[in-house]
Amino acid sequence: RKDVSSKIDEVLRVPKETATPAKAAQVVTDRVTEDGMYKDPSSGQIFKIQYAVHGSNNLYAKRLVLFPESDWYTKTVRGKEVEVRAEFEYAPGAINTVKPEWKMSLEEAQAFGKLYGVCVRCGATLTLEESQDRGMGAWCASKLGA
């Protein structure tokens, strides 16, 4: 018993290793930690990072796929016909390659939303004219202060 107690005391005297600010910053900046739109500066590829809603609540990535004009199609969204020019498709493993510094600014994201008619926050097709002009839906705009 005495030996065990002395070993415990010895272990408790060992200083705990603390993370240096550089190490802490490394952890934060190595991986994407928030949802949103990201653009790879070297390739121009656009990614939508979002949370999984069924189960894990982990972040994952979808890649924007632009359709050639011949493949554009229309679908009905909230009773309105909408032309679909692009879609996001699941990009396995991309969440590990997207960098936090690639996150699009609000202005960049709104320009993207205007160009493709997709809400830059949630990815929904924009059906209202004011949402299309803003580059995002009204609810998402209120969340971003836009």
Side-chain angles (χ1 to χ4, degrees):
R1 245 182 174 171
K2 222 181 231 188
D3 289 342
V4 171
S5 290
S6 66
K7 285 290 182 191
I8 290 172
D9 291 339
E10 186 180 320
V11 169
L12 291 174
R13 284 191 293 272
V14 174
K16 293 181 181 173
E17 184 179 325
T18 57
T20 64
K23 281 185 182 179
Q26 183 89 19
V27 171
V28 171
T29 59
D30 280 347
R31 287 185 55 109
V32 171
T33 59
E34 60 184 352
D35 59 348
M37 301 297 286
Y38 293 76
K39 184 176 182 180
D40 180 342
S42 62
S43 70
Q45 184 66 62
I46 295 174
F47 296 91
K48 179 171 90 169
I49 305 300
Q50 64 187 60
Y51 287 97
V53 292
H54 301 292
S56 70
N57 203 34
N58 290 332
L59 288 171
Y60 70 99
K62 288 184 169 184
R63 181 184 341 263
L64 179 67
V65 177
L66 302 174
F67 300 141
E69 191 171 351
S70 60
D71 291 342
W72 293 357
Y73 66 94
T74 58
K75 69 178 182 180
T76 304
V77 178
R78 297 183 198 107
K80 183 178 178 183
E81 288 292 311
V82 176
E83 186 173 64
V84 179
R85 299 177 180 190
E87 286 181 341
F88 287 97
E89 69 178 23
Y90 174 60
I95 190 67
N96 298 315
T97 60
V98 174
K99 306 287 183 224
E101 59 269 18
W102 295 357
K103 188 158 189 181
M104 296 169 76
S105 70
L106 181 58
E107 293 76 22
E108 289 173 313
Q110 286 179 300
F112 163 83
K114 289 175 186 179
L115 181 63
Y116 294 106
V118 175
C119 178
V120 298
R121 184 170 186 270
C122 71
T125 300
L126 299 173
T127 58
L128 300 175
E129 190 173 332
E130 60 267 20
S131 295
Q132 293 167 349
D133 290 343
R134 187 176 38 240
M136 67 180 70
W139 189 86
C140 290
S142 72
K143 295 296 180 190
L144 295 176

